[in-house]
Amino acid sequence: MAKKPSVAAALRAVRQARGLSQEAFSDVSSRTYMSSLERGLKSPTLNKLTELCEVMEIHPLTLLTLAYVGDSPHEADRLLALVRQELDMLSKTHNKQ
């Protein structure tokens, strides 16, 4: 059974990898909110996710990719290939309309 995607774990991992404290996000979020996000008690909106990623200096898709691949970074290639394939298909469908 595949592991469930975890934005909470990805957020915590990137924050720690960047050497940032929860307080480093004070311009966009409270420490309490960050703690709630990292414990999976709350889910960020897309706008909030973008703001958090700006503080960490990563693209939001990087964080979401990490949420889906977790401890298996080699899975990122497979996932990104799937995304590219789906985007191509959707683009072709959209262009035909």
Side-chain angles (χ1 to χ4, degrees), residues 2-7 10 61-73 75-76 78-79:
K3 188 175 169 184
K4 201 171 163 190
S6 176
V7 171
L61 288 177
T62 302
L63 184 74
L64 292 175
T65 301
L66 184 59
Y68 278 88
V69 301
D71 295 338
S72 304
E75 286 293 312
R78 184 190 60 74
L79 177 60

Side-chain angles (χ1 to χ4, degrees), residues 16-86:
Q16 291 174 343
R18 292 290 200 206
L20 299 168
S21 67
Q22 290 179 339
E23 289 81 9
F25 295 83
S26 63
D27 286 347
V28 297
S29 178
S30 70
R31 192 206 58 77
T32 303
Y33 182 67
M34 282 298 295
S35 177
S36 295
L37 290 175
E38 289 186 4
R39 290 183 290 140
L41 302 176
K42 295 190 179 203
S43 297
T45 63
L46 193 54
N47 286 337
K48 182 55 72 177
L49 192 69
T50 299
E51 290 176 349
L52 298 171
C53 286
E54 286 173 358
V55 173
M56 296 185 291
E57 299 180 343
I58 64 167
H59 193 282
L61 288 177
T62 302
L63 184 74
L64 292 175
T65 301
L66 184 59
Y68 278 88
V69 301
D71 295 338
S72 304
H74 62 279
E75 286 293 312
D77 289 336
R78 184 190 60 74
L79 177 60
L80 293 172
L82 174 64
V83 170
R84 273 190 295 275
Q85 179 183 12
E86 290 174 348

